[in-house]
C-alpha cells in the first residue's frame, strides 16, 4: 500500500512560481514511479510529469517543458514539482500519483491541491 500526501499549491500571479510536494508512505517506494497530473477546468486529467523513484530521466509534458521541473528526495520519499513562469492556463487541481514500476496504471493518488494562476 502507498499513501501520498501533497502540499503546496495556492494562488500565484502569471509569471510567478509555486512548488508542490508529495510525500509517499510505503515500505519500499523504490519500485514505484511518481507522476504528477493536472486537471484543468473543463478538461481531462493529464499527466504532466513523472519520474521513476529508482532513477532515470524524468518525463515532462510538452505543455510544461522548460517551465516545470521534477525532483525527488529519496531518503524522505518526497517528490517535488517546481512550477515556474506560471500562466493562467496552468490553473487546475494537481495530483501526485504512484504506480508500480513496469505497470501502466497509476493506482495510488494524493488528495489533490488547487493551483490558481491569475493574469
Amino acid at each position: 500500500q502507498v499513501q501520498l500526501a501533497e502540499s503546496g499549491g495556492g494562488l500565484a500571479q502569471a509569471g510567478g512560481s509555486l512548488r508542490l510536494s508529495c510525500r509517499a508512505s510505503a515500505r519500499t517506494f523504490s519500485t514505484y514511479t511518481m507522476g504528477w497530473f493536472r486537471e484543468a477546468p473543463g478538461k481531462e486529467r493529464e499527466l504532466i510529469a513523472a519520474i521513476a523513484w529508482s532513477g532515470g530521466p524524468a518525463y515532462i509534458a510538452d505543455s510544461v517543458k522548460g517551465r516545470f521541473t521534477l525532483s525527488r528526495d529519496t531518503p524522505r520519499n518526497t517528490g517535488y514539482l517546481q512550477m515556474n513562469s506560471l500562466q493562467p492556463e496552468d490553473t487546475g487541481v494537481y495530483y501526485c500519483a504512484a504506480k508500480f514500476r513496469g505497470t501502466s496504471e497509476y493506482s495510488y493518488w494524493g488528495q489533490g491541491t488547487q493551483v490558481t494562476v491569475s493574469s
Side-chain angles (χ1 to χ4, degrees):
Q1 273 287 7
V2 177
Q3 293 182 321
L4 302 171
E6 298 179 46
S7 59
L11 179 64
Q13 290 188 332
S17 299
L18 287 172
R19 188 177 80 159
L20 305 182
S21 302
C22 179
R23 189 172 189 278
S25 298
R27 292 182 62 183
T28 307
F29 198 65
S30 60
T31 53
Y32 287 84
T33 292
M34 178 179 284
W36 289 91
F37 289 76
R38 176 172 68 194
E39 190 170 314
K43 296 185 177 180
E44 292 186 358
R45 190 176 298 183
E46 63 170 330
L47 177 67
I48 57 172
I51 189 167
W53 212 249
S54 58
Y59 163 79
I60 304 291
D62 288 343
S63 58
V64 302
K65 192 170 291 183
R67 300 187 298 120
F68 290 12
T69 57
L70 201 58
S71 62
R72 70 196 195 284
D73 183 341
T74 49
R76 291 183 170 84
N77 272 0
T78 301
Y80 302 97
L81 183 67
Q82 178 67 42
M83 307 184 293
N84 298 328
S85 301
L86 284 163
Q87 300 301 316
E89 52 265 34
D90 295 317
T91 293
V93 180
Y94 285 70
Y95 298 87
C96 70
K99 63 172 183 171
F100 191 74
R101 187 175 55 200
T103 62
S104 59
E105 185 175 343
Y106 284 84
S107 301
Y108 305 98
W109 293 83
Q111 77 277 15
T113 186
Q114 176 71 42
V115 170
T116 303
V117 184
S118 62
S119 58

